Amino acid sequence: TVILALTDCCAAMSHFTRFVEDIFALLISVIFIVGAFRSLVEAFNDLSKAAAFKTVLLCLGTYAFTRFLQSLRRSRVATKGLRDILSNFSVAISILTFSGLAAIWKDEVKIDFLTVANEFRPTWDDPETMSARPWFISPFGMNKDFPVWAIFLMAVPALGLTVLGYLDQNLTTIIVNRPA
């Protein structure tokens, strides 16, 4: 990744067509949409009927409120500055609003919330010492030596992940910065 940055490989993105950008945007959208629907299906499989219904209402409410705030840009409801702010930050406002509603009604019907650790530490516990792994891990192995051949073998998936990270960063930057 450092070599890509030092050699200004971002300039190669000028040769990518709009089609590649649109396919990338479609794939990212599909990943998030499928993830949202998977969560809804899991709610019906894992939670009570009331909790699953509440999850669907929160999901649809967040989406509908986002669309409503985005539509304010073309209305005459308030000043243009306020309409632009509400429209530009519609997703964040909707998520915060419906997360707050879910927190207010958390005692009424139990739904899944994001679990957060009580302390900031690595989450993997070493089975031999039963303590958290160190923050910095030696690439040559923790409890025994990592084989040298495996280090070179890992260059193949590392190259693929480097290309994926390069395309993700640069295509996302192009899509986000394109004028509407």
Side-chain angles (χ1 to χ4, degrees):
T1 305
V2 174
I3 294 170
L4 292 174
L6 292 175
T7 57
D8 193 28
C9 282
C10 296
M13 294 307 294
S14 63
H15 299 292
F16 281 73
T17 63
R18 177 78 184 250
F19 176 74
V20 174
E21 296 170 22
D22 289 342
I23 293 297
F24 181 77
L26 173 74
L27 289 174
I28 296 298
S29 300
V30 166
I31 288 169
F32 283 108
I33 291 169
V34 167
F37 281 115
R38 182 177 292 142
S39 296
L40 291 177
V41 169
E42 287 174 3
F44 279 98
N45 291 335
D46 300 339
L47 303 174
S48 69
K49 188 173 182 179
F53 183 66
K54 181 180 175 183
T55 302
V56 170
L57 284 178
L58 290 170
C59 176
L60 295 177
T62 304
Y63 175 75
F65 192 50
T66 300
R67 298 298 298 183
F68 168 73
L69 290 175
Q70 288 174 346
S71 71
L72 290 178
R73 185 184 306 264
R74 295 177 301 277
S75 71
R76 297 190 172 273
V77 171
T79 64
K80 181 172 176 12
L82 181 60
R83 289 192 315 253
D84 285 343
I85 289 172
L86 291 174
S87 182
N88 289 338
F89 296 102
S90 60
V91 174
I93 293 169
S94 293
I95 290 172
L96 289 174
T97 301
F98 280 87
S99 294
L101 289 173
I104 289 171
W105 295 322
K106 71 179 178 201
D107 295 330
E108 312 297 324
V109 177
K110 303 289 185 203
I111 62 170
D112 289 338
F113 284 91
L114 179 66
T115 55
V116 180
N118 293 334
E119 57 183 313
F120 186 67
R121 69 178 191 87
T123 56
W124 185 75
D125 291 329
D126 187 351
E128 292 180 10
T129 63
M130 297 308 291
S131 62
R133 70 161 177 80
W135 283 101
F136 298 103
I137 301 172
S138 170
F140 300 107
M142 288 177 52
N143 298 328
K144 61 180 183 177
D145 287 341
F146 195 69
V148 175
W149 62 266
I151 295 172
F152 292 105
L153 183 66
M154 293 300 107
V156 175
L159 181 64
L161 290 172
T162 300
V163 170
L164 182 65
Y166 168 79
L167 290 174
D168 177 43
Q169 172 63 40
N170 289 292
L171 286 173
T172 301
T173 303
I174 289 171
I175 291 169
V176 167
N177 292 324
R178 180 185 305 137

